[in-house]
Amino acid sequence: MSYDLESILNYIDSSEKKLIAVLGPTCTGKSDIAIEIAKHSSAEIINCDSRLIFDEMNIGTAKPSKAELEEVKHHLVNLKKPDEIYSAAEFQKDFDNLIKSHTDEKGELLKKFVIVGGTGLYAKAALENLNMPELGSNEELREELKAKETEELAKVLNDLDPKAHLQVDMDNKIRLIRAIELVKSSGQPLAELRSKASEDRYDTAYIGLNFERRRTLYDLINARVIKMINKGLVHEVEDLMNRYGESQTLLSTIGYKEIISYLKGEKKSLSEARREIQLKTRRYAKKQMTWFRANTRIKWFYRD
């Protein structure tokens, strides 16, 4: 773990807030720290990672083990199957319903929760002052866009909204399709659609986990990808493909998309797929930090 756990717990105790967010880029030990905080604070955990929403996608998402999920009660995990989709707006609604179910008539939260994950948009939608657009889906447009490659979709979105790259993961096909749908349906850029309220949605204590040296994080990412492959990532992806096909969720998830390409013979070797997963994960970690640096309330702790 390597963090100064005592300092983290002292910070939590001093805040006395009932919502504690543990955020940061991938591979920084967020789940382990969240479990320690939850046990210390008699709290439950709320997942804030967009990939952990999906059942059966375990190895490639570094999902906590069954024992870890049972050690402390986890919420908003394994809600959907890999052939379904899920949005930040849905997450915001599910998060609100969960909090409401643990709130008394006076508006007081009845227990503590630790929100943990690396999906910046989900964290902002649930906790901060981000309002999500309530626009329905356009199935005809979605089907048209699904036929396009990720790079084509990124260009379409950039032509519609040149600043959309600040709001959207441009390597995620599902989010690109939804962003194009929103901009086309509303005629507004994403920044205006995802308007900000005057106050945050919930009073939250924020903890950020990271490394001072980026090279250390990148080395851990590279090692984790190798570990995932050794644990059976190829078999997991092959099994999911056999049961769910090449779903948009699988093709929009780093690790799954590259292994699918390998299984289809589009990659020369497993090593090539592994290197691509490592590269894209490192790029994703960099994007995650762009989201979290914007939140000046985060108290950062460093493993190195």
Side-chain angles (χ1 to χ4, degrees):
M1 193 177 296
S2 302
Y3 290 102
D4 182 356
L5 182 60
E6 185 178 352
S7 294
I8 293 175
L9 296 179
N10 287 339
Y11 178 74
I12 292 300
D13 291 340
S14 66
S15 74
E16 297 184 349
K17 294 181 181 179
K18 290 191 174 180
L19 291 182
I20 305 150
V22 179
L23 308 173
T26 187
C27 220
T28 49
K30 296 184 295 295
S31 293
D32 290 342
I33 291 295
I35 288 174
E36 292 299 326
I37 293 172
K39 289 192 294 187
H40 173 79
S41 306
S42 299
E44 296 178 4
I45 289 176
I46 303 176
N47 166 55
C48 189
D49 186 304
S50 65
R51 300 299 89 181
L52 268 57
I53 294 293
F54 296 97
D55 193 17
E56 303 178 63
M57 295 172 65
N58 301 321
I59 297 174
T61 62
K63 186 178 292 178
S65 67
K66 183 179 179 181
E68 289 171 325
L69 291 174
E70 292 175 350
E71 185 177 10
V72 174
K73 187 171 182 178
H74 282 64
H75 300 272
L76 305 188
V77 178
N78 297 333
L79 300 181
K80 297 284 186 178
K81 291 296 182 182
D83 59 346
E84 298 178 286
I85 58 174
Y86 190 80
S87 68
E90 288 177 279
F91 179 80
Q92 186 183 69
K93 190 173 295 183
D94 287 341
F95 185 92
D96 286 346
N97 288 337
L98 177 61
I99 296 299
K100 186 177 180 180
S101 69
H102 291 85
T103 303
D104 66 17
E105 296 176 353
K106 298 178 180 178
E108 292 291 325
L109 198 54
L110 298 173
K111 65 170 56 190
K112 284 190 174 183
F113 288 99
V114 182
I115 300 99
V116 58
T119 305
L121 179 59
Y122 280 29
K124 290 180 75 70
L127 302 171
E128 299 183 45
N129 53 358
L130 193 66
N131 294 321
M132 301 303 295
E134 295 186 9
L135 294 174
S137 60
N138 183 331
E139 294 302 328
E140 184 178 346
L141 176 60
R142 284 189 179 185
E143 289 303 315
E144 176 189 331
L145 295 174
K146 283 178 185 177
K148 297 181 182 293
E149 295 295 326
T150 303
E151 293 75 13
E152 293 180 85
L153 292 171
K155 185 179 185 306
V156 170
L157 180 58
N158 187 62
D159 290 342
L160 290 169
D161 182 359
K163 293 185 178 180
H165 67 278
L166 299 173
Q167 303 274 333
V168 180
D169 178 358
M170 303 298 271
D171 292 321
N172 187 311
K173 191 169 183 177
I174 288 178
R175 292 186 187 170
L176 284 168
I177 289 172
R178 180 57 176 163
I180 293 169
E181 183 181 42
L182 289 173
V183 173
K184 281 198 165 188
S185 299
S186 66
Q188 295 178 281
L190 282 178
E192 291 183 21
L193 284 171
R194 293 172 177 169
S195 60
K196 293 183 177 181
S198 57
E199 296 181 357
D200 281 357
R201 306 180 76 249
Y202 296 100
D203 189 22
T204 308
Y206 290 94
I207 287 175
L209 304 181
N210 202 358
F211 295 86
E212 288 279 8
R213 294 182 294 275
R214 184 176 293 178
R215 184 71 255 169
T216 305
L217 175 60
Y218 286 178
D219 287 344
L220 279 174
I221 287 171
N222 292 340
R224 175 188 271 184
V225 173
I226 293 171
K227 183 178 180 181
M228 287 175 173
I229 291 173
N230 290 339
K231 285 180 68 176
L233 178 60
V234 175
H235 176 73
E236 177 174 275
V237 175
E238 191 171 29
D239 182 54
L240 291 173
M241 279 181 66
N242 289 336
R243 287 186 292 120
Y244 299 105
E246 295 177 43
S247 71
Q248 290 303 308
T249 293
L250 291 174
L251 290 173
S252 295
T253 303
I254 297 173
Y256 293 84
K257 178 181 179 180
E258 294 74 23
I259 295 299
I260 287 174
S261 182
Y262 161 69
L263 291 170
K264 292 171 65 180
E266 297 170 356
K267 303 288 182 194
K268 293 179 181 178
S269 66
L270 181 57
S271 294
E272 182 184 355
R274 182 255 301 162
R275 288 192 295 272
E276 188 173 340
I277 296 169
Q278 290 169 328
L279 174 62
K280 288 184 177 178
T281 306
R282 295 194 301 267
R283 287 176 176 170
Y284 177 59
K286 190 175 180 181
K287 289 178 181 178
Q288 286 175 301
M289 284 310 304
T290 300
W291 276 96
F292 297 130
R293 285 196 189 101
N295 186 342
T296 58
R297 288 153 297 183
I298 294 178
K299 169 70 173 176
W300 288 98
F301 293 86
Y302 297 92
R303 278 179 69 176
D304 53 352

